[in-house]
Amino acid sequence: MKYDVKMLTLDEKLKLLTGVDYWRTYSADGKIGEVVMSDGPCGLRKVRDGKTEASACMPSPSVVANSWSKEAAFLDGKTIADECVEKDVDVILAPGTNIKRTPLCGRNFEYLSEDPYLAGVLAREFINGAQSKGVGTSLKHYCCNNREFERFNQNSEVDERTLREIYLPAFEEAVKAEPWTVMCSYNLINGIYASENKYLIDDVLRGEFGFNGVVVSDWGAVHNQFRRVRAGLDLEMPYSDGAYNDLKDAYERGYITEEQIDRSVKRILELIEKKESAVKSVEYSAEERHANAVAIAKEGIVLLKNDDDILPLKGGKILVSGEYARAPQICGGGSARNTTAYVQTGLDKLISEKLGAEAEVSYLFSRTRTQGISDSLNKTYVAAYDSDTVVICVGNDYTVESEDFDRQGIRLSKTAEDFILNTAAINKNVVVVLYAGSAIDVSEWVESVKAVVFAGFAGEGVNEALSSVLTGETVPSGKLSESFPTGIEETYTGLEHGNGFAERYSDGIFVGYRYYEHLRLPVEFPFGHGLSYAKFTYSDLKIKKTGETEYEVSYNVTNESDFAAKEVSQVYVKDVFSSVLRPKKELKGFSKDEIGAHETKNITVKLDYRSFAYYNVSLKKWYVENGAFEVLVGASSADIRLSERITVELAEDTQYSTGY
Ligand code: BGC
């Protein structure tokens, strides 16, 4: 090791435990190096001398998750890190992998999924991608920060099994990629702040998940210096005035020992060494980063509905309307919001370019974000009447979906809904494009329109990606990483958010599709749903046992169409009989594959112990109960195409007696 704790005086060590300003660590007057951190998950937000520098706005993590593509997540991390290298940033404050417990959470656009398996795998790949560039990551926000309301004070009251099965696994999986840092969240978990939570930091994250990097506080999440050091939180960010005095005082009173201080100092020194020994090079030009943003957005756009195969657009008179067509919402608000220098070309122009002489594409500005009828809407109705197809671009902006507050509801503005309904009343070929960071309640108008495309907050490449998907140059392949409920009232939490200080996670393990399936509630668009212009059939499910609880699940997916396309196939596991209450099924594997026209691809997905286990609170460990399990392979959580029953038989002495 180049640096040793012995190189520093006690005072220097105490100072090292807190940042020196908003983004940098303390360098002890140049004795040691410093680490520069910056946000965030949608692209670099580098602040220099109080000014935010422009950088590539990548698709939001929610769009990356809708791609269900490990390669896309890797490329996303790599592209953002590449810009970090160029702009002298050592650690990117991403990815965020909190579970989407409610679609109201203002930061859902920054997070990956309602499903811990999908969220974990994609966070892991983002980290692998970023760190392949020699740039560290900060896996955040650990943990149970599942909404923004009262995020600094709110106590998430979560039972152990729920914690283990829903809220921790994404972190557990992502930690396998060895992120340089993990960021604790603001909230309390079961009465103890995340920043002081020894159980979650030292025992679980380090002890059980094997994390050996630096645990950093979310910005301003430290409430007490000695409690956080004792808990294993190494680095407080940003600089805070009283931190050094409080730490010194705590040391002198014997509340913390030098050994405890050294533990954290050593980890911060290791982080500095990692940064210094990293091999870094800028690989992409601004144009190439933009091209990566477009490529990822193409993978993440989801075709939700496509009656009469109205899409891809076939030509004729096409009216594109809604202000987002020209000024798309590419990112949500808060610390993840980055500014890009990229100047958008209107969606209408790009569609026109791609369709050429076959189409006459026009655009009319129509304001749909605010309430009230504007003159421009009426003009649009007149034009819509005279068009073959109308593409309506509507959704939320960064003032609606942002860090620091939650959404008030999940419907579009009344103006937007009325606009869709009125247009659909005069033109039967309406295509709605949605821009949002999380689920939208489409129930008011979805039956009236032919097609719905969920763009999400797809970054600066959104119009290129959308025009490509809408015209059929790209076959859509995104699938929902969160369920779209029929209304906010149909979600477990509805419009409630605890009592202001505490929120009991009484939905337990029934989050997202696990909840709707458990209660047999219909949803508008299920988890894993996404249409294609191609048609895929599934066949020949074979399950090969390769170990005690290891299986290879293989199946064929055939592309029945005349063109190549990608399909996300999903593998769920259902415990047929269980001594504890379990979800109807859980995602345990998936694969995204490009399949040529009329070709068949044989796909293999591996299952292991954890695919069958539940967290047994009495045993304090994951436990597989012998018996029948169903392996379900499908195109979405609600579209299971193949299934087979297997029997897991572990040695008798590993099992407990059951009542069935
Ligand atoms: C956010 C973090 C972010 C940090 C630095 C906090 O308010 O919760 O996600 O990385 O600020 O901007």
Side-chain angles (χ1 to χ4, degrees), residues 22-23 38-41 45 93-94 107 110-111 140-141 145 148 151-152 183 186 218-219 335-336 403:
Y22 213 76
W23 304 112
S38 265
D39 285 307
R45 184 175 68 91
L93 301 174
R107 292 186 94 169
E110 288 190 57
Y111 299 145
K140 66 191 189 182
H141 307 89
N145 178 192
E148 290 299 282
R151 66 175 168 154
F152 301 108
M183 187 192 294
Y186 284 123
D218 197 344
W219 269 228
S335 62
E403 175 175 348

Side-chain angles (χ1 to χ4, degrees), residues 81 84-85 89-92 130-137 180 278 280:
C84 289
V85 177
V89 170
D90 305 310
V91 172
I92 183 79
Q131 294 192 173
S132 73
K133 297 287 309 175
V135 170
T137 51
W180 292 7
K280 301 183 187 192

Side-chain angles (χ1 to χ4, degrees), residues 479-628:
K479 296 206 176 182
L480 290 179
S481 51
E482 63 179 295
S483 313
F484 274 35
T486 50
I488 192 63
E489 309 74 27
E490 302 307 318
T491 64
Y492 178 77
T493 46
L495 288 167
E496 301 295 320
H497 34 59
N499 68 10
F501 295 104
E503 178 161 9
R504 186 158 174 75
Y505 284 34
S506 45
D507 40 350
I509 55 171
F510 298 108
V511 173
Y513 65 91
R514 291 163 168 82
Y515 170 70
Y516 304 112
E517 292 187 355
H518 179 61
L519 289 191
R520 296 188 175 79
L521 284 176
V523 289
E524 200 66 62
F525 297 114
F527 175 79
H529 168 77
L531 303 174
S532 169
Y533 301 146
K535 184 172 179 289
F536 296 102
T537 51
Y538 288 54
S539 62
D540 288 316
L541 174 62
K542 291 197 178 68
I543 301 180
K544 190 166 126 200
K545 192 166 187 272
T546 54
E548 261 193 335
T549 49
E550 279 70 44
Y551 293 86
E552 272 179 21
V553 179
S554 66
Y555 48 91
N556 286 342
V557 177
T558 304
N559 180 355
E560 310 280 358
S561 330
D562 296 334
F563 42 86
K566 289 180 183 171
E567 170 70 338
V568 175
S569 52
Q570 303 154 36
V571 177
Y572 295 86
V573 172
K574 173 188 169 79
D575 192 347
V576 180
F577 299 107
S578 171
S579 56
V580 295
L581 189 59
R582 299 194 70 176
K584 290 265 177 281
K585 64 175 178 297
E586 296 182 274
L587 183 75
K588 296 298 173 188
F590 64 91
S591 181
K592 184 167 192 171
D593 302 273
E594 167 128 30
I595 308 174
H598 301 286
E599 268 180 24
T600 296
K601 186 151 195 176
N602 187 256
I603 293 159
T604 302
V605 168
K606 289 185 175 159
L607 299 179
D608 60 18
Y609 189 84
R610 280 289 284 273
S611 312
F612 305 98
Y614 70 87
Y615 189 81
N616 187 305
V617 182
S618 311
L619 299 172
K620 292 194 173 36
K621 63 175 193 183
W622 291 91
Y623 173 63
V624 173
E625 200 168 64
N626 277 350

Side-chain angles (χ1 to χ4, degrees), residues 47-63:
V47 184
R48 214 189 296 254
D49 305 327
K51 288 204 185 81
T52 304
E53 294 178 2
S55 52
C57 181
M58 301 300 287
S60 298
S62 52
V63 173

